[in-house]
Amino acid sequence: PAATAAASNHPRWTLTSPAEASRFLAQASYGSSPKDIKALTGRTANEWIEAQFSRPPTSLLNTMKYWQQRSGKAITLTDAHNAWWYSTVQQDQLRQRVAFALSQIFVVSTNGDVSHFPKGIASYYDMLARNAFGNFRQLLQDVTLHPMMGVYLTHIGNQKERYNSAGELTQAPDENYAREVMQLFTIGLEQLNTDGTVKKDGNGRPIPTYGNDDVMGLARVFTGLSWSGNARSHGCFFRTSACLDALKDAEMRPMVTYDQYHSTLEKRFLGKTIAAGSSSTMGDITVALDTLFNHPNVGPFFGRQMIQ
């Protein structure tokens, strides 16, 4: 601790001029006022960062609910956008900058089907802010289970495979999230060295991180998730009128498991095998997310995205 304190107060970390303080705040926050610059000049960047770690997160959802109470009007997508702008001028600047960076990677568009859930959008962003200084494994799980990601990448209401009377496959599990969680969120398309350079085979070609069989295996894992209601019924799984009252505000709650819709076939992905017969949706998801989290590509792949 003494060594750490000494390092944090080393002269080379001190922002000795208003120009240095302004430059740092432009990188680490959404910008600065003359008052902010003056307060930071002569102090260390570490002091500011440590102070930011202790600040409570600004909640878009709570902001929207407060506005609703004041106006008496229903919450709209415009309210979600306005709440985001409001958050950028609050005191938890570093957390909000990290949350924004995460939102550029774990994307859920406010166009299309997601646009129908303004409170869900705010809840999703609050989830990213809550995880901004946390653990990547927890972040990955919270993203996977959030209904807005489920709507956007279509694994909410994802069902196990179905066959006709002749034993022919008529419906396979949705592969959208299974593919994107690898390609965009965790390991990317090509195997990487720890410094981020691409690994090559004996012929000088990049080595793929996964193939279509891995996508199919993970697609089976991400079956059986749907809206959080007070029953694990057919109506709640498909969000039909028979369950809409029970699903009130489900857009803000993590998806839940409906094991009757979960694939029990063997699931092979990234060198891992879940044996046939496994009917635990959350158990299989835990294995899958642990496998992704421990993949050697995660550090260099995700780290590069955060730097960018």
Side-chain angles (χ1 to χ4, degrees):
T4 301
S8 67
N9 292 303
H10 192 281
R12 73 187 182 92
W13 297 109
T14 300
L15 304 167
T16 57
S17 68
E20 288 183 355
S22 177
R23 179 177 181 274
F24 170 76
L25 289 172
Q27 293 175 315
S29 72
Y30 279 112
S32 55
S33 67
K35 181 180 178 181
D36 296 329
I37 295 169
K38 182 178 180 181
L40 189 55
T41 302
R43 299 176 64 191
T44 66
N46 290 48
E47 288 179 86
W48 185 88
I49 291 171
E50 289 294 335
Q52 285 289 308
F53 284 162
S54 66
R55 293 189 184 278
T58 301
S59 169
L60 272 66
L61 185 59
N62 288 345
T63 298
M64 290 164 58
K65 288 181 175 179
Y66 174 72
W67 291 345
Q68 182 186 35
Q69 291 172 355
R70 294 284 300 269
S71 69
K73 298 179 180 178
I75 290 174
T76 67
L77 184 60
T78 299
D79 293 322
H81 289 149
N82 289 342
W84 182 86
W85 285 106
Y86 175 83
S87 74
T88 66
V89 295
Q90 302 310 307
Q91 294 301 307
D92 57 329
Q93 289 279 292
L94 183 61
R95 181 186 295 275
Q96 294 300 326
R97 276 298 298 268
V98 175
F100 182 64
L102 293 175
S103 76
Q104 305 306 293
I105 300 169
F106 298 103
V107 173
V108 291
S109 173
T110 55
N111 296 318
D113 291 341
V114 178
S115 66
H116 301 304
F117 304 101
K119 290 185 290 185
I121 291 168
S123 166
Y124 183 81
Y125 200 88
D126 285 349
M127 177 272 295
L128 296 180
R130 186 172 65 248
N131 282 289
F133 304 144
N135 175 270
F136 184 79
R137 174 62 177 79
Q138 185 63 53
L139 171 65
L140 186 60
Q141 178 160 319
D142 289 350
V143 165
T144 300
L145 297 181
H146 201 285
M148 295 302 97
M149 180 57 76
V151 170
Y152 184 60
L153 287 184
T154 59
H155 64 293
I156 194 167
N158 189 17
Q159 302 177 65
K160 61 185 176 182
E161 52 287 316
R162 289 192 290 183
Y163 300 87
N164 61 20
S165 58
E168 299 168 326
L169 181 68
T170 58
Q171 178 177 304
D174 187 296
E175 297 179 353
N176 204 13
Y177 188 72
R179 181 178 294 102
E180 305 298 7
V181 73
M182 292 190 287
Q183 180 177 339
L184 301 180
F185 301 163
T186 55
I187 62 178
L189 293 171
E190 300 167 339
Q191 293 185 27
L192 303 174
N193 297 303
T194 54
D195 64 358
T197 56
V198 177
K199 290 184 177 181
K200 304 288 182 67
D201 62 19
N203 295 314
R205 294 173 299 194
I207 305 171
T209 51
Y210 64 88
N212 194 55
D213 288 345
D214 298 297
V215 175
M216 292 174 63
L218 271 181
R220 292 172 181 170
V221 169
F222 296 116
T223 53
L225 286 173
S226 197
W227 302 95
S228 174
N230 59 5
R232 299 293 197 272
S233 66
H234 176 91
C236 290
F237 185 80
F238 292 101
R239 204 171 193 266
T240 65
S241 57
C243 194
L244 286 181
D245 288 342
L247 295 177
K248 183 180 180 181
D249 292 334
E251 66 194 87
M252 298 178 288
R253 298 194 297 270
M255 291 185 285
V256 295
T257 59
Y258 294 73
D259 288 343
Q260 66 269 39
Y261 294 101
H262 182 65
S263 173
T264 58
L265 296 182
E266 181 182 75
K267 307 169 183 77
R268 292 176 179 264
F269 52 89
L270 303 174
K272 189 75 177 179
T273 299
I274 298 176
S278 175
S279 60
S280 171
T281 308
M282 201 62 230
D284 288 356
I285 289 174
T286 297
V287 172
L289 297 185
D290 284 347
T291 301
L292 289 167
F293 174 69
N294 288 301
H295 194 285
N297 256 40
V298 168
F301 177 78
F302 194 79
R304 180 185 178 88
Q305 292 198 83
M306 289 296 287
I307 291 168
Q308 290 176 324

PDB file of all heavy atoms in Angstrom, residues 22-57:
ATOM      1  N   SER A  22      -6.872  19.814 -18.388  1.00  0.00           N
ATOM      2  CA  SER A  22      -7.917  19.839 -19.403  1.00  0.00           C
ATOM      3  C   SER A  22      -7.794  18.659 -20.347  1.00  0.00           C
ATOM      4  O   SER A  22      -8.800  18.023 -20.697  1.00  0.00           O
ATOM      5  CB  SER A  22      -7.837  21.147 -20.194  1.00  0.00           C
ATOM      6  OG  SER A  22      -8.795  21.172 -21.225  1.00  0.00           O
ATOM      7  N   ARG A  23      -6.553  18.348 -20.759  1.00  0.00           N
ATOM      8  CA  ARG A  23      -6.336  17.225 -21.675  1.00  0.00           C
ATOM      9  C   ARG A  23      -6.760  15.908 -21.026  1.00  0.00           C
ATOM     10  O   ARG A  23      -7.426  15.072 -21.649  1.00  0.00           O
ATOM     11  CB  ARG A  23      -4.872  17.154 -22.088  1.00  0.00           C
ATOM     12  CG  ARG A  23      -4.536  15.988 -23.023  1.00  0.00           C
ATOM     13  CD  ARG A  23      -3.060  16.035 -23.432  1.00  0.00           C
ATOM     14  NE  ARG A  23      -2.744  14.946 -24.350  1.00  0.00           N
ATOM     15  CZ  ARG A  23      -2.396  13.721 -23.986  1.00  0.00           C
ATOM     16  NH1 ARG A  23      -2.315  13.411 -22.691  1.00  0.00           N
ATOM     17  NH2 ARG A  23      -2.131  12.799 -24.880  1.00  0.00           N
ATOM     18  N   PHE A  24      -6.401  15.728 -19.757  1.00  0.00           N
ATOM     19  CA  PHE A  24      -6.772  14.500 -19.059  1.00  0.00           C
ATOM     20  C   PHE A  24      -8.286  14.369 -18.940  1.00  0.00           C
ATOM     21  O   PHE A  24      -8.860  13.311 -19.206  1.00  0.00           O
ATOM     22  CB  PHE A  24      -6.133  14.468 -17.668  1.00  0.00           C
ATOM     23  CG  PHE A  24      -6.653  13.346 -16.800  1.00  0.00           C
ATOM     24  CD1 PHE A  24      -6.228  12.044 -17.008  1.00  0.00           C
ATOM     25  CD2 PHE A  24      -7.584  13.590 -15.805  1.00  0.00           C
ATOM     26  CE1 PHE A  24      -6.723  11.001 -16.231  1.00  0.00           C
ATOM     27  CE2 PHE A  24      -8.082  12.564 -15.023  1.00  0.00           C
ATOM     28  CZ  PHE A  24      -7.642  11.263 -15.236  1.00  0.00           C
ATOM     29  N   LEU A  25      -8.963  15.453 -18.561  1.00  0.00           N
ATOM     30  CA  LEU A  25     -10.408  15.401 -18.392  1.00  0.00           C
ATOM     31  C   LEU A  25     -11.130  15.176 -19.724  1.00  0.00           C
ATOM     32  O   LEU A  25     -12.190  14.554 -19.758  1.00  0.00           O
ATOM     33  CB  LEU A  25     -10.913  16.689 -17.731  1.00  0.00           C
ATOM     34  CG  LEU A  25     -10.542  16.839 -16.248  1.00  0.00           C
ATOM     35  CD1 LEU A  25     -10.913  18.222 -15.739  1.00  0.00           C
ATOM     36  CD2 LEU A  25     -11.217  15.761 -15.402  1.00  0.00           C
ATOM     37  N   ALA A  26     -10.531  15.657 -20.819  1.00  0.00           N
ATOM     38  CA  ALA A  26     -11.118  15.404 -22.140  1.00  0.00           C
ATOM     39  C   ALA A  26     -11.058  13.919 -22.489  1.00  0.00           C
ATOM     40  O   ALA A  26     -11.920  13.405 -23.208  1.00  0.00           O
ATOM     41  CB  ALA A  26     -10.396  16.220 -23.203  1.00  0.00           C
ATOM     42  N   GLN A  27     -10.059  13.218 -21.969  1.00  0.00           N
ATOM     43  CA  GLN A  27      -9.920  11.786 -22.229  1.00  0.00           C
ATOM     44  C   GLN A  27     -10.784  10.951 -21.289  1.00  0.00           C
ATOM     45  O   GLN A  27     -11.340   9.919 -21.687  1.00  0.00           O
ATOM     46  CB  GLN A  27      -8.456  11.354 -22.064  1.00  0.00           C
ATOM     47  CG  GLN A  27      -7.516  11.943 -23.108  1.00  0.00           C
ATOM     48  CD  GLN A  27      -6.068  11.583 -22.803  1.00  0.00           C
ATOM     49  OE1 GLN A  27      -5.624  11.675 -21.657  1.00  0.00           O
ATOM     50  NE2 GLN A  27      -5.336  11.171 -23.822  1.00  0.00           N
ATOM     51  N   ALA A  28     -10.884  11.356 -20.049  1.00  0.00           N
ATOM     52  CA  ALA A  28     -11.476  10.509 -19.013  1.00  0.00           C
ATOM     53  C   ALA A  28     -12.916  10.876 -18.658  1.00  0.00           C
ATOM     54  O   ALA A  28     -13.573  10.139 -17.931  1.00  0.00           O
ATOM     55  CB  ALA A  28     -10.629  10.576 -17.741  1.00  0.00           C
ATOM     56  N   SER A  29     -13.407  11.993 -19.184  1.00  0.00           N
ATOM     57  CA  SER A  29     -14.774  12.406 -18.876  1.00  0.00           C
ATOM     58  C   SER A  29     -15.427  12.881 -20.167  1.00  0.00           C
ATOM     59  O   SER A  29     -14.879  12.729 -21.254  1.00  0.00           O
ATOM     60  CB  SER A  29     -14.766  13.533 -17.833  1.00  0.00           C
ATOM     61  OG  SER A  29     -14.304  14.752 -18.409  1.00  0.00           O
ATOM     62  N   TYR A  30     -16.594  13.502 -20.038  1.00  0.00           N
ATOM     63  CA  TYR A  30     -17.258  14.052 -21.212  1.00  0.00           C
ATOM     64  C   TYR A  30     -16.849  15.497 -21.474  1.00  0.00           C
ATOM     65  O   TYR A  30     -17.430  16.170 -22.327  1.00  0.00           O
ATOM     66  CB  TYR A  30     -18.772  13.969 -21.048  1.00  0.00           C
ATOM     67  CG  TYR A  30     -19.324  12.600 -21.377  1.00  0.00           C
ATOM     68  CD1 TYR A  30     -19.876  11.793 -20.392  1.00  0.00           C
ATOM     69  CD2 TYR A  30     -19.293  12.109 -22.682  1.00  0.00           C
ATOM     70  CE1 TYR A  30     -20.385  10.541 -20.703  1.00  0.00           C
ATOM     71  CE2 TYR A  30     -19.794  10.868 -22.999  1.00  0.00           C
ATOM     72  CZ  TYR A  30     -20.339  10.085 -21.999  1.00  0.00           C
ATOM     73  OH  TYR A  30     -20.838   8.842 -22.307  1.00  0.00           O
ATOM     74  N   GLY A  31     -15.857  15.974 -20.748  1.00  0.00           N
ATOM     75  CA  GLY A  31     -15.428  17.349 -20.909  1.00  0.00           C
ATOM     76  C   GLY A  31     -15.338  18.019 -19.558  1.00  0.00           C
ATOM     77  O   GLY A  31     -15.644  17.420 -18.526  1.00  0.00           O
ATOM     78  N   SER A  32     -14.911  19.260 -19.534  1.00  0.00           N
ATOM     79  CA  SER A  32     -14.655  19.903 -18.248  1.00  0.00           C
ATOM     80  C   SER A  32     -15.016  21.381 -18.299  1.00  0.00           C
ATOM     81  O   SER A  32     -15.014  22.010 -19.355  1.00  0.00           O
ATOM     82  CB  SER A  32     -13.181  19.751 -17.876  1.00  0.00           C
ATOM     83  OG  SER A  32     -12.353  20.257 -18.921  1.00  0.00           O
ATOM     84  N   SER A  33     -15.311  21.907 -17.140  1.00  0.00           N
ATOM     85  CA  SER A  33     -15.551  23.337 -16.980  1.00  0.00           C
ATOM     86  C   SER A  33     -14.277  23.983 -16.446  1.00  0.00           C
ATOM     87  O   SER A  33     -13.373  23.292 -15.948  1.00  0.00           O
ATOM     88  CB  SER A  33     -16.693  23.559 -15.989  1.00  0.00           C
ATOM     89  OG  SER A  33     -16.287  23.151 -14.687  1.00  0.00           O
ATOM     90  N   PRO A  34     -14.155  25.300 -16.533  1.00  0.00           N
ATOM     91  CA  PRO A  34     -12.992  25.963 -15.921  1.00  0.00           C
ATOM     92  C   PRO A  34     -12.828  25.606 -14.444  1.00  0.00           C
ATOM     93  O   PRO A  34     -11.709  25.463 -13.950  1.00  0.00           O
ATOM     94  CB  PRO A  34     -13.309  27.448 -16.123  1.00  0.00           C
ATOM     95  CG  PRO A  34     -14.149  27.490 -17.361  1.00  0.00           C
ATOM     96  CD  PRO A  34     -15.001  26.249 -17.280  1.00  0.00           C
ATOM     97  N   LYS A  35     -13.955  25.436 -13.746  1.00  0.00           N
ATOM     98  CA  LYS A  35     -13.900  25.059 -12.328  1.00  0.00           C
ATOM     99  C   LYS A  35     -13.267  23.681 -12.154  1.00  0.00           C
ATOM    100  O   LYS A  35     -12.434  23.469 -11.250  1.00  0.00           O
ATOM    101  CB  LYS A  35     -15.308  25.074 -11.742  1.00  0.00           C
ATOM    102  CG  LYS A  35     -15.362  24.719 -10.267  1.00  0.00           C
ATOM    103  CD  LYS A  35     -16.813  24.749  -9.769  1.00  0.00           C
ATOM    104  CE  LYS A  35     -16.892  24.340  -8.306  1.00  0.00           C
ATOM    105  NZ  LYS A  35     -18.309  24.338  -7.818  1.00  0.00           N
ATOM    106  N   ASP A  36     -13.643  22.715 -13.016  1.00  0.00           N
ATOM    107  CA  ASP A  36     -13.073  21.362 -12.951  1.00  0.00           C
ATOM    108  C   ASP A  36     -11.574  21.397 -13.200  1.00  0.00           C
ATOM    109  O   ASP A  36     -10.798  20.719 -12.514  1.00  0.00           O
ATOM    110  CB  ASP A  36     -13.730  20.457 -14.003  1.00  0.00           C
ATOM    111  CG  ASP A  36     -15.206  20.247 -13.759  1.00  0.00           C
ATOM    112  OD1 ASP A  36     -15.624  20.257 -12.588  1.00  0.00           O
ATOM    113  OD2 ASP A  36     -15.937  20.083 -14.759  1.00  0.00           O
ATOM    114  N   ILE A  37     -11.167  22.162 -14.206  1.00  0.00           N
ATOM    115  CA  ILE A  37      -9.749  22.237 -14.572  1.00  0.00           C
ATOM    116  C   ILE A  37      -8.942  22.835 -13.423  1.00  0.00           C
ATOM    117  O   ILE A  37      -7.877  22.323 -13.053  1.00  0.00           O
ATOM    118  CB  ILE A  37      -9.575  23.067 -15.857  1.00  0.00           C
ATOM    119  CG1 ILE A  37     -10.241  22.360 -17.035  1.00  0.00           C
ATOM    120  CG2 ILE A  37      -8.096  23.320 -16.149  1.00  0.00           C
ATOM    121  CD1 ILE A  37     -10.352  23.203 -18.281  1.00  0.00           C
ATOM    122  N   LYS A  38      -9.445  23.905 -12.845  1.00  0.00           N
ATOM    123  CA  LYS A  38      -8.745  24.559 -11.736  1.00  0.00           C
ATOM    124  C   LYS A  38      -8.612  23.621 -10.537  1.00  0.00           C
ATOM    125  O   LYS A  38      -7.547  23.553  -9.891  1.00  0.00           O
ATOM    126  CB  LYS A  38      -9.496  25.828 -11.325  1.00  0.00           C
ATOM    127  CG  LYS A  38      -8.811  26.603 -10.207  1.00  0.00           C
ATOM    128  CD  LYS A  38      -9.576  27.885  -9.882  1.00  0.00           C
ATOM    129  CE  LYS A  38      -8.878  28.667  -8.765  1.00  0.00           C
ATOM    130  NZ  LYS A  38      -9.642  29.921  -8.435  1.00  0.00           N
ATOM    131  N   ALA A  39      -9.675  22.858 -10.252  1.00  0.00           N
ATOM    132  CA  ALA A  39      -9.651  21.955  -9.094  1.00  0.00           C
ATOM    133  C   ALA A  39      -8.652  20.823  -9.278  1.00  0.00           C
ATOM    134  O   ALA A  39      -8.085  20.323  -8.299  1.00  0.00           O
ATOM    135  CB  ALA A  39     -11.049  21.390  -8.861  1.00  0.00           C
ATOM    136  N   LEU A  40      -8.422  20.399 -10.520  1.00  0.00           N
ATOM    137  CA  LEU A  40      -7.538  19.266 -10.772  1.00  0.00           C
ATOM    138  C   LEU A  40      -6.089  19.673 -10.969  1.00  0.00           C
ATOM    139  O   LEU A  40      -5.183  18.868 -10.760  1.00  0.00           O
ATOM    140  CB  LEU A  40      -8.020  18.501 -12.011  1.00  0.00           C
ATOM    141  CG  LEU A  40      -7.363  17.164 -12.309  1.00  0.00           C
ATOM    142  CD1 LEU A  40      -7.455  16.213 -11.113  1.00  0.00           C
ATOM    143  CD2 LEU A  40      -7.999  16.519 -13.528  1.00  0.00           C
ATOM    144  N   THR A  41      -5.850  20.903 -11.361  1.00  0.00           N
ATOM    145  CA  THR A  41      -4.482  21.362 -11.604  1.00  0.00           C
ATOM    146  C   THR A  41      -3.651  21.265 -10.322  1.00  0.00           C
ATOM    147  O   THR A  41      -4.075  21.726  -9.256  1.00  0.00           O
ATOM    148  CB  THR A  41      -4.476  22.815 -12.104  1.00  0.00           C
ATOM    149  OG1 THR A  41      -5.255  22.902 -13.306  1.00  0.00           O
ATOM    150  CG2 THR A  41      -3.051  23.288 -12.384  1.00  0.00           C
ATOM    151  N   GLY A  42      -2.501  20.619 -10.442  1.00  0.00           N
ATOM    152  CA  GLY A  42      -1.622  20.410  -9.293  1.00  0.00           C
ATOM    153  C   GLY A  42      -1.897  19.119  -8.546  1.00  0.00           C
ATOM    154  O   GLY A  42      -1.154  18.769  -7.619  1.00  0.00           O
ATOM    155  N   ARG A  43      -2.937  18.409  -8.945  1.00  0.00           N
ATOM    156  CA  ARG A  43      -3.242  17.121  -8.324  1.00  0.00           C
ATOM    157  C   ARG A  43      -2.883  16.007  -9.301  1.00  0.00           C
ATOM    158  O   ARG A  43      -2.514  16.248 -10.449  1.00  0.00           O
ATOM    159  CB  ARG A  43      -4.722  17.064  -7.954  1.00  0.00           C
ATOM    160  CG  ARG A  43      -5.132  18.145  -6.959  1.00  0.00           C
ATOM    161  CD  ARG A  43      -6.618  18.106  -6.690  1.00  0.00           C
ATOM    162  NE  ARG A  43      -7.012  16.848  -6.042  1.00  0.00           N
ATOM    163  CZ  ARG A  43      -8.274  16.479  -5.885  1.00  0.00           C
ATOM    164  NH1 ARG A  43      -9.260  17.255  -6.354  1.00  0.00           N
ATOM    165  NH2 ARG A  43      -8.558  15.338  -5.291  1.00  0.00           N
ATOM    166  N   THR A  44      -3.014  14.760  -8.824  1.00  0.00           N
ATOM    167  CA  THR A  44      -2.660  13.631  -9.684  1.00  0.00           C
ATOM    168  C   THR A  44      -3.899  13.065 -10.371  1.00  0.00           C
ATOM    169  O   THR A  44      -5.016  13.179  -9.854  1.00  0.00           O
ATOM    170  CB  THR A  44      -1.992  12.502  -8.884  1.00  0.00           C
ATOM    171  OG1 THR A  44      -2.954  11.947  -7.967  1.00  0.00           O
ATOM    172  CG2 THR A  44      -0.775  13.000  -8.124  1.00  0.00           C
ATOM    173  N   ALA A  45      -3.660  12.452 -11.517  1.00  0.00           N
ATOM    174  CA  ALA A  45      -4.740  11.771 -12.223  1.00  0.00           C
ATOM    175  C   ALA A  45      -5.323  10.653 -11.354  1.00  0.00           C
ATOM    176  O   ALA A  45      -6.534  10.409 -11.359  1.00  0.00           O
ATOM    177  CB  ALA A  45      -4.227  11.209 -13.542  1.00  0.00           C
ATOM    178  N   ASN A  46      -4.454   9.980 -10.591  1.00  0.00           N
ATOM    179  CA  ASN A  46      -4.912   8.879  -9.737  1.00  0.00           C
ATOM    180  C   ASN A  46      -5.933   9.348  -8.704  1.00  0.00           C
ATOM    181  O   ASN A  46      -6.887   8.633  -8.400  1.00  0.00           O
ATOM    182  CB  ASN A  46      -3.721   8.241  -9.014  1.00  0.00           C
ATOM    183  CG  ASN A  46      -2.817   7.480  -9.951  1.00  0.00           C
ATOM    184  OD1 ASN A  46      -2.446   8.005 -10.995  1.00  0.00           O
ATOM    185  ND2 ASN A  46      -2.453   6.267  -9.591  1.00  0.00           N
ATOM    186  N   GLU A  47      -5.719  10.541  -8.160  1.00  0.00           N
ATOM    187  CA  GLU A  47      -6.666  11.064  -7.174  1.00  0.00           C
ATOM    188  C   GLU A  47      -8.056  11.202  -7.787  1.00  0.00           C
ATOM    189  O   GLU A  47      -9.068  10.849  -7.173  1.00  0.00           O
ATOM    190  CB  GLU A  47      -6.189  12.428  -6.662  1.00  0.00           C
ATOM    191  CG  GLU A  47      -4.974  12.387  -5.752  1.00  0.00           C
ATOM    192  CD  GLU A  47      -4.570  13.792  -5.322  1.00  0.00           C
ATOM    193  OE1 GLU A  47      -5.132  14.294  -4.316  1.00  0.00           O
ATOM    194  OE2 GLU A  47      -3.713  14.392  -5.995  1.00  0.00           O
ATOM    195  N   TRP A  48      -8.105  11.734  -8.984  1.00  0.00           N
ATOM    196  CA  TRP A  48      -9.392  11.935  -9.660  1.00  0.00           C
ATOM    197  C   TRP A  48     -10.054  10.596  -9.954  1.00  0.00           C
ATOM    198  O   TRP A  48     -11.259  10.420  -9.733  1.00  0.00           O
ATOM    199  CB  TRP A  48      -9.167  12.716 -10.960  1.00  0.00           C
ATOM    200  CG  TRP A  48     -10.436  13.081 -11.672  1.00  0.00           C
ATOM    201  CD1 TRP A  48     -11.193  14.200 -11.483  1.00  0.00           C
ATOM    202  CD2 TRP A  48     -11.103  12.322 -12.696  1.00  0.00           C
ATOM    203  NE1 TRP A  48     -12.286  14.191 -12.317  1.00  0.00           N
ATOM    204  CE2 TRP A  48     -12.251  13.044 -13.082  1.00  0.00           C
ATOM    205  CE3 TRP A  48     -10.824  11.114 -13.326  1.00  0.00           C
ATOM    206  CZ2 TRP A  48     -13.123  12.602 -14.067  1.00  0.00           C
ATOM    207  CZ3 TRP A  48     -11.702  10.658 -14.302  1.00  0.00           C
ATOM    208  CH2 TRP A  48     -12.841  11.404 -14.666  1.00  0.00           C
ATOM    209  N   ILE A  49      -9.261   9.634 -10.433  1.00  0.00           N
ATOM    210  CA  ILE A  49      -9.803   8.321 -10.770  1.00  0.00           C
ATOM    211  C   ILE A  49     -10.347   7.631  -9.523  1.00  0.00           C
ATOM    212  O   ILE A  49     -11.449   7.069  -9.531  1.00  0.00           O
ATOM    213  CB  ILE A  49      -8.731   7.459 -11.458  1.00  0.00           C
ATOM    214  CG1 ILE A  49      -8.414   8.034 -12.845  1.00  0.00           C
ATOM    215  CG2 ILE A  49      -9.182   6.006 -11.580  1.00  0.00           C
ATOM    216  CD1 ILE A  49      -7.227   7.393 -13.521  1.00  0.00           C
ATOM    217  N   GLU A  50      -9.575   7.644  -8.436  1.00  0.00           N
ATOM    218  CA  GLU A  50     -10.041   7.001  -7.204  1.00  0.00           C
ATOM    219  C   GLU A  50     -11.327   7.647  -6.706  1.00  0.00           C
ATOM    220  O   GLU A  50     -12.233   6.967  -6.215  1.00  0.00           O
ATOM    221  CB  GLU A  50      -8.950   7.085  -6.130  1.00  0.00           C
ATOM    222  CG  GLU A  50      -7.738   6.207  -6.391  1.00  0.00           C
ATOM    223  CD  GLU A  50      -8.073   4.725  -6.342  1.00  0.00           C
ATOM    224  OE1 GLU A  50      -9.058   4.341  -5.685  1.00  0.00           O
ATOM    225  OE2 GLU A  50      -7.345   3.938  -6.979  1.00  0.00           O
ATOM    226  N   ALA A  51     -11.423   8.970  -6.828  1.00  0.00           N
ATOM    227  CA  ALA A  51     -12.642   9.656  -6.397  1.00  0.00           C
ATOM    228  C   ALA A  51     -13.823   9.241  -7.268  1.00  0.00           C
ATOM    229  O   ALA A  51     -14.951   9.069  -6.775  1.00  0.00           O
ATOM    230  CB  ALA A  51     -12.436  11.164  -6.451  1.00  0.00           C
ATOM    231  N   GLN A  52     -13.577   9.049  -8.563  1.00  0.00           N
ATOM    232  CA  GLN A  52     -14.638   8.630  -9.475  1.00  0.00           C
ATOM    233  C   GLN A  52     -15.136   7.224  -9.149  1.00  0.00           C
ATOM    234  O   GLN A  52     -16.328   6.933  -9.279  1.00  0.00           O
ATOM    235  CB  GLN A  52     -14.132   8.685 -10.917  1.00  0.00           C
ATOM    236  CG  GLN A  52     -14.013  10.088 -11.483  1.00  0.00           C
ATOM    237  CD  GLN A  52     -15.369  10.722 -11.730  1.00  0.00           C
ATOM    238  OE1 GLN A  52     -16.229  10.145 -12.392  1.00  0.00           O
ATOM    239  NE2 GLN A  52     -15.581  11.910 -11.173  1.00  0.00           N
ATOM    240  N   PHE A  53     -14.221   6.353  -8.736  1.00  0.00           N
ATOM    241  CA  PHE A  53     -14.625   4.985  -8.383  1.00  0.00           C
ATOM    242  C   PHE A  53     -15.660   4.981  -7.260  1.00  0.00           C
ATOM    243  O   PHE A  53     -16.489   4.077  -7.188  1.00  0.00           O
ATOM    244  CB  PHE A  53     -13.404   4.167  -7.946  1.00  0.00           C
ATOM    245  CG  PHE A  53     -12.516   3.716  -9.072  1.00  0.00           C
ATOM    246  CD1 PHE A  53     -11.218   3.309  -8.814  1.00  0.00           C
ATOM    247  CD2 PHE A  53     -12.956   3.698 -10.380  1.00  0.00           C
ATOM    248  CE1 PHE A  53     -10.380   2.879  -9.830  1.00  0.00           C
ATOM    249  CE2 PHE A  53     -12.131   3.281 -11.407  1.00  0.00           C
ATOM    250  CZ  PHE A  53     -10.844   2.864 -11.143  1.00  0.00           C
ATOM    251  N   SER A  54     -15.604   5.957  -6.397  1.00  0.00           N
ATOM    252  CA  SER A  54     -16.481   5.964  -5.224  1.00  0.00           C
ATOM    253  C   SER A  54     -17.820   6.648  -5.483  1.00  0.00           C
ATOM    254  O   SER A  54     -18.714   6.611  -4.628  1.00  0.00           O
ATOM    255  CB  SER A  54     -15.779   6.663  -4.052  1.00  0.00           C
ATOM    256  OG  SER A  54     -15.582   8.040  -4.332  1.00  0.00           O
ATOM    257  N   ARG A  55     -17.983   7.276  -6.639  1.00  0.00           N
ATOM    258  CA  ARG A  55     -19.220   7.996  -6.908  1.00  0.00           C
ATOM    259  C   ARG A  55     -20.338   7.018  -7.315  1.00  0.00           C
ATOM    260  O   ARG A  55     -20.101   6.129  -8.122  1.00  0.00           O
ATOM    261  CB  ARG A  55     -19.029   9.036  -8.006  1.00  0.00           C
ATOM    262  CG  ARG A  55     -18.119  10.185  -7.591  1.00  0.00           C
ATOM    263  CD  ARG A  55     -18.142  11.297  -8.633  1.00  0.00           C
ATOM    264  NE  ARG A  55     -17.211  12.355  -8.286  1.00  0.00           N
ATOM    265  CZ  ARG A  55     -17.447  13.330  -7.429  1.00  0.00           C
ATOM    266  NH1 ARG A  55     -18.616  13.366  -6.797  1.00  0.00           N
ATOM    267  NH2 ARG A  55     -16.548  14.261  -7.191  1.00  0.00           N
ATOM    268  N   PRO A  56     -21.533   7.197  -6.781  1.00  0.00           N
ATOM    269  CA  PRO A  56     -22.646   6.313  -7.171  1.00  0.00           C
ATOM    270  C   PRO A  56     -23.032   6.564  -8.619  1.00  0.00           C
ATOM    271  O   PRO A  56     -22.908   7.689  -9.121  1.00  0.00           O
ATOM    272  CB  PRO A  56     -23.763   6.710  -6.203  1.00  0.00           C
ATOM    273  CG  PRO A  56     -23.448   8.127  -5.825  1.00  0.00           C
ATOM    274  CD  PRO A  56     -21.952   8.221  -5.800  1.00  0.00           C
ATOM    275  N   PRO A  57     -23.507   5.533  -9.311  1.00  0.00           N
ATOM    276  CA  PRO A  57     -23.871   5.700 -10.725  1.00  0.00           C
ATOM    277  C   PRO A  57     -25.148   6.507 -10.907  1.00  0.00           C
ATOM    278  O   PRO A  57     -26.085   6.409 -10.117  1.00  0.00           O
ATOM    279  CB  PRO A  57     -24.064   4.261 -11.210  1.00  0.00           C
ATOM    280  CG  PRO A  57     -24.396   3.481  -9.983  1.00  0.00           C
ATOM    281  CD  PRO A  57     -23.652   4.134  -8.859  1.00  0.00           C
TER     282      PRO A  57
END
